[in-house]
């Protein structure tokens, strides 16, 4: 009741700004639920959210994670394609070899003796070498292209893994800085400013600024923790859960 009018108005203004911020956050939340509902159904997307973030995971060193990329499903799929293309090369080379076929037949005839016959056919590719060379060369190029595609995909996965791992390390460093230094100092600053305001040695605007600064730092710390968990999820995609 001893507060000045402009202090009260300033407090009301800050509350209204925070309420507006909450409305924006809920709008983003509704849009995110709608996008999620596209994949899992709107009823599932509207389920209550957990009040806690998932537990962090322990990651191996980067060198080990890079070695794990060879077992990534996309790389395994590319390897199967390479094996199939190499089989086509082997099949094309079979055309150089002579082909043997054996046949037998039996026929009943009226007024004549029945007929039985046995035959052996040999297909020797005397004049097909040029055509076979082209087939083998074409199959070999296709197989080589598959190998190059696998190498390119592996390099891309490695690049993305290194980027995500570096981002994860930087996020961890920043989060620790916020929790160990910035947040405690922000709380201490708010307490000290409140004490000064109560003793009429500081302005109300200074108190408001201290409280808003503490809130902003808390939100940034939460955002960093969320980014850490999202990055860990991306790393699990590259490393198969390690």
């Amino acid at each position: 009741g001893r507060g000045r009018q402009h202090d009260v108005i300033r407090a009301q203004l800050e509350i209204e700004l925070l309420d507006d911020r909450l409305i924006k956050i809920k709008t983003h939340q509704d849009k995110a639920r709608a996008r999620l509902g596209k994949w899992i159904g709107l009823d599932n997307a509207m389920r209550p959210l957990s009040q806690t973030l998932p537990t962090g995971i322990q990651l191996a060193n980067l060198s080990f994670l890079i070695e794990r990329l060879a077992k990534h499903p996309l790389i395994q799929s590319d390897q199967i394609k390479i094996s199939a293309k190499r089989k086509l090369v082997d099949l094309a080379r079979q055309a150089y070899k002579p082909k043997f076929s054996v046949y037998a037949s039996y026929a009943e005839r009226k007024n004549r003796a029945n007929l039985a016959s046995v035959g052996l056919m040999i297909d020797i590719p005397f004049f097909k070498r040029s055509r076979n060379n082209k087939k083998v060369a074409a199959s070999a190029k296709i197989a080589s292209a598959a190998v190059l595609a696998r190498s390119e995909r592996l390099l891309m996965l490695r690049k993305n893994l290194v980027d995500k791992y570096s981002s994860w390390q930087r996020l961890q460093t920043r989060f620790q800085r916020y929790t160990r230094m910035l947040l405690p100092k922000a709380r201490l600053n708010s307490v000290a400013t409140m004490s000064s305001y109560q003793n009429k040695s500081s302005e109300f605007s200074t108190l408001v600024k201290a409280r808003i600064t503490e809130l902003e730092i808390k939100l940034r710390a939460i955002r960093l923790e969320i980014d850490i968990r999202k990055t860990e999820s991306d790393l699990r995609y590259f490393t198969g859960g390690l």
Side-chain angles (χ1 to χ4, degrees):
R2 297 192 300 269
R4 292 171 292 185
Q5 184 178 8
H6 73 271
D7 290 343
V8 176
I9 295 174
R10 174 66 186 274
Q12 292 175 342
L13 174 61
E14 294 298 339
I15 291 174
E16 290 296 332
L17 290 174
L18 288 176
D19 287 341
D20 180 67
R21 189 169 183 175
L22 286 174
I23 292 173
K24 289 182 179 179
I25 291 173
K26 291 185 179 298
T27 300
H28 289 307
Q29 187 183 69
D30 291 340
K31 290 181 179 179
R33 286 183 183 274
R35 291 195 299 270
L36 182 62
K38 175 182 177 181
W39 304 104
I40 66 173
L42 191 58
D43 290 339
N44 289 326
M46 297 303 294
R47 289 185 302 179
L49 295 174
S50 173
Q51 298 301 311
T52 58
L53 290 172
T55 304
I57 61 175
Q58 291 294 117
L59 293 173
N61 60 65
L62 183 58
S63 299
F64 179 77
L65 297 181
I66 291 175
E67 292 178 1
R68 287 280 303 178
L69 286 178
K71 297 182 179 181
H72 192 280
L74 290 175
I75 301 301
Q76 294 293 317
S77 176
D78 287 342
Q79 189 60 49
I80 293 174
K81 292 178 182 178
I82 291 172
S83 298
K85 302 303 182 184
R86 286 174 176 170
K87 289 292 184 181
L88 293 178
V89 176
D90 293 337
L91 289 174
R93 286 174 177 163
Q94 295 298 318
Y96 289 115
K97 300 178 181 179
K99 297 179 181 178
F100 298 88
S101 60
V102 178
Y103 67 90
S105 64
Y106 178 82
E108 294 182 356
R109 298 186 296 181
K110 293 181 179 180
N111 304 322
R112 299 172 62 184
N114 294 340
L115 177 66
S117 62
V118 177
L120 173 65
M121 295 183 62
I122 302 176
D123 183 8
I124 302 176
F126 287 117
F127 306 105
K128 300 179 181 178
R129 180 166 295 275
S130 177
R131 185 175 63 185
N132 292 338
N133 287 341
K134 292 180 180 179
K135 289 182 178 179
V136 172
S139 299
K141 286 182 179 179
I142 294 174
S144 178
V147 173
L148 290 175
R150 177 187 179 276
S151 299
E152 182 180 2
R153 191 191 298 274
L154 186 59
L155 289 173
M156 183 60 65
L157 287 175
R158 178 173 178 171
K159 170 188 172 298
N160 293 337
L161 172 61
V162 172
D163 288 345
K164 288 294 182 181
Y165 193 86
S166 299
S167 297
W168 177 76
Q169 288 181 316
R170 290 192 295 269
L171 288 169
Q172 289 276 10
T173 302
R174 290 185 61 199
F175 181 69
Q176 291 175 3
R177 184 166 180 264
Y178 268 80
T179 54
R180 295 177 182 178
M181 297 178 60
L182 295 177
L183 273 174
K185 289 183 178 179
R187 294 191 190 102
L188 183 61
N189 182 53
S190 292
V191 172
T193 306
M194 172 62 78
S195 178
S196 297
Y197 177 71
Q198 290 174 340
N199 294 327
K200 298 182 179 181
S201 58
S202 66
E203 296 291 331
F204 180 74
S205 59
T206 304
L207 174 61
V208 171
K209 184 177 180 181
R211 288 298 181 89
I212 291 176
T213 299
E214 182 184 3
L215 175 61
E216 291 290 346
I217 291 176
K218 286 181 180 179
L219 293 175
R220 290 174 189 172
I222 294 173
R223 181 73 258 175
L224 282 172
E225 189 174 6
I226 291 171
D227 290 341
I228 288 172
R229 298 296 173 261
K230 289 173 66 176
T231 305
E232 288 173 349
S233 177
D234 292 336
L235 288 171
R236 288 172 68 91
Y237 164 76
F238 290 115
T239 60
L242 293 179

